[in-house]
Amino acid sequence: MASSSSSFGTTLSVFLLVLVGMASAQLSSTYYNTSCPNALSTIKSAVDSAVDSESRMGASLLRLQFHDCFVNGCDASVLLDDTSTFTGEKTAAPNNGSIRGFDVIDTIKSNVESICPGVVSCADIVVVAARDSVVALGGPSWTVQLGRRDSTTASLSTANSDIPAPTLNLSGLISSFSNKGFTAKEMVALSGAHTIGQARCTNFRARIYNETNIDSTFASSLQSNCPSTGSDNNLSPLDTTSPTTFDNAYYTNLVNNKGLLHSDQQLYNGGSTDSQVSTYSTSSSTFLTDFANGMVKMGNLSPLTGTSGEIRTNCRKTN
């Protein structure tokens, strides 16, 4: 009996440890309610101010979550600066000279640190700022799960390989998102992030000069700002209809062959996602709901929790 009791005790201890491990890995919408009750309002205030100053910043902060979470999970690795002994992700091809908003994250972090030192992670700031940016530009809100911790590492190679390129065809887009656990439908919904923001000429030049599945007037209007050579960094809105409003116009544009990027128009080009684009183009509420759900799912990609990682004092470097 003694050995049976001992065995039971050991089994119970293991079971309890497993439960604790599972609990620590769970994110919670109320994570900061006690430890930093003003965290979310502080983040929102800074985001609203930044977007008021420059509407494009809303798209930039939204994009930061995407480029962070698609590389080893939502761990704020994208925020880390290179040093003489450390290589981050900022110089990866999808990021170099393209992602922005780091100064806004720095401001948010400083503001939060002033009220709750060492409590709120940079990884959580990124996902909350993305949500608040969408709301600031008229889009949907969603409940952000919290409790992520910050990485002490980054991966330049994964940033280069796992962030979908604007040159991808539909099969490549579906595969890229599938590798992160998203369905084709969720990929189409999340692509709606391109209803705000701008793209550089270098990323759509080939489309407006060489592709045939593009409205000719639309292509001509873009060529004046994006010549066949040079001016690589000239910007054009991803959604020319309502470039600073988070709505479903992106999909209406696709139906009319007015997608800016090659990868955009691939969603409506005689393929398996055409019907989904059509649905979103006629039902704003369906798109907004699906987008919000997709963002929640993206925010849950491989978070560091419990004792993993750290809470950075400065989002640009490890402690």
Side-chain angles (χ1 to χ4, degrees):
M1 289 293 291
S3 63
S4 175
S5 175
S6 174
S7 174
F8 174 76
T10 301
T11 303
L12 180 60
S13 295
V14 171
F15 178 66
L16 289 174
L17 283 172
V18 170
L19 282 180
V20 171
M22 289 173 62
S24 69
Q26 298 299 310
L27 302 178
S28 165
S29 61
T30 60
Y31 188 82
Y32 295 114
N33 280 14
T34 301
S35 60
C36 192
N38 293 322
L40 296 185
S41 60
T42 300
I43 295 171
K44 184 180 188 306
S45 177
V47 169
D48 287 347
S49 177
V51 175
D52 280 345
S53 297
E54 181 199 6
S55 58
R56 183 188 173 203
M57 187 54 68
S60 298
L61 293 173
L62 173 58
R63 191 163 175 244
L64 270 184
Q65 177 178 335
F66 178 49
H67 284 230
D68 182 36
C69 295
F70 260 56
V71 182
N72 297 338
C74 307
D75 61 1
S77 59
V78 73
L79 304 179
L80 292 170
D81 285 341
D82 288 359
T83 71
S84 58
T85 58
F86 177 87
T87 302
E89 298 163 10
K90 291 181 177 179
T91 57
N95 295 336
N96 194 22
S98 176
I99 55 170
R100 56 200 293 273
F102 300 113
D103 53 338
V104 177
I105 299 296
D106 290 341
T107 297
I108 294 171
K109 180 61 173 174
S110 177
N111 292 348
V112 172
E113 284 293 301
S114 69
I115 58 172
C116 309
V119 173
V120 181
S121 69
C122 301
D124 277 347
I125 288 173
V126 168
V127 294
V128 175
R131 187 271 310 273
D132 291 348
S133 292
V134 170
V135 172
L137 293 174
S141 185
W142 56 90
T143 300
V144 176
Q145 300 299 304
L146 302 163
R148 298 165 195 78
R149 287 168 65 83
D150 301 323
S151 68
T152 56
T153 60
S155 178
L156 179 68
S157 60
T158 305
N160 276 318
S161 64
D162 287 16
I163 298 173
T167 54
L168 286 181
N169 291 328
L170 180 60
S171 60
L173 290 167
I174 291 174
S175 176
S176 180
F177 277 78
S178 176
N179 289 339
K180 303 299 178 183
F182 292 101
T183 64
K185 178 181 177 181
E186 289 169 331
M187 179 273 290
V188 175
L190 287 169
S191 296
H194 284 181
T195 189
I196 54 175
Q198 303 184 67
R200 294 183 298 158
C201 169
T202 185
N203 287 323
F204 60 85
R205 175 183 285 119
R207 170 156 167 73
I208 64 174
Y209 285 98
N210 304 325
E211 297 186 8
T212 56
N213 61 341
I214 186 170
D215 179 87
S216 59
T217 303
F218 176 64
S220 297
S221 69
L222 292 165
Q223 289 170 3
S224 61
N225 190 47
C226 182
S228 55
T229 57
S231 303
D232 284 359
N233 292 321
N234 283 3
L235 299 170
S236 288
L238 289 156
D239 167 10
T240 56
T241 304
S242 48
T244 60
T245 302
F246 199 97
D247 55 20
N248 67 331
Y250 167 78
Y251 299 100
T252 306
N253 293 337
L254 296 185
V255 171
N256 293 317
N257 284 338
K258 294 181 179 180
L260 182 65
L261 303 177
H262 174 82
S263 57
D264 288 329
Q265 197 60 56
Q266 283 293 296
L267 303 183
Y268 191 86
N269 192 41
S272 60
T273 56
D274 280 16
S275 62
Q276 194 63 41
V277 170
S278 294
T279 296
Y280 289 157
S281 73
T282 57
S283 177
S284 175
S285 61
T286 303
F287 159 57
L288 297 177
T289 297
D290 289 354
F291 180 82
N293 290 336
M295 289 299 292
V296 172
K297 182 172 178 177
M298 187 193 297
N300 290 339
L301 287 177
S302 305
L304 297 173
T305 58
T307 57
S308 300
E310 63 183 17
I311 305 296
R312 289 184 214 142
T313 302
N314 180 336
C315 290
R316 293 176 179 265
K317 62 183 181 180
T318 58
N319 291 342

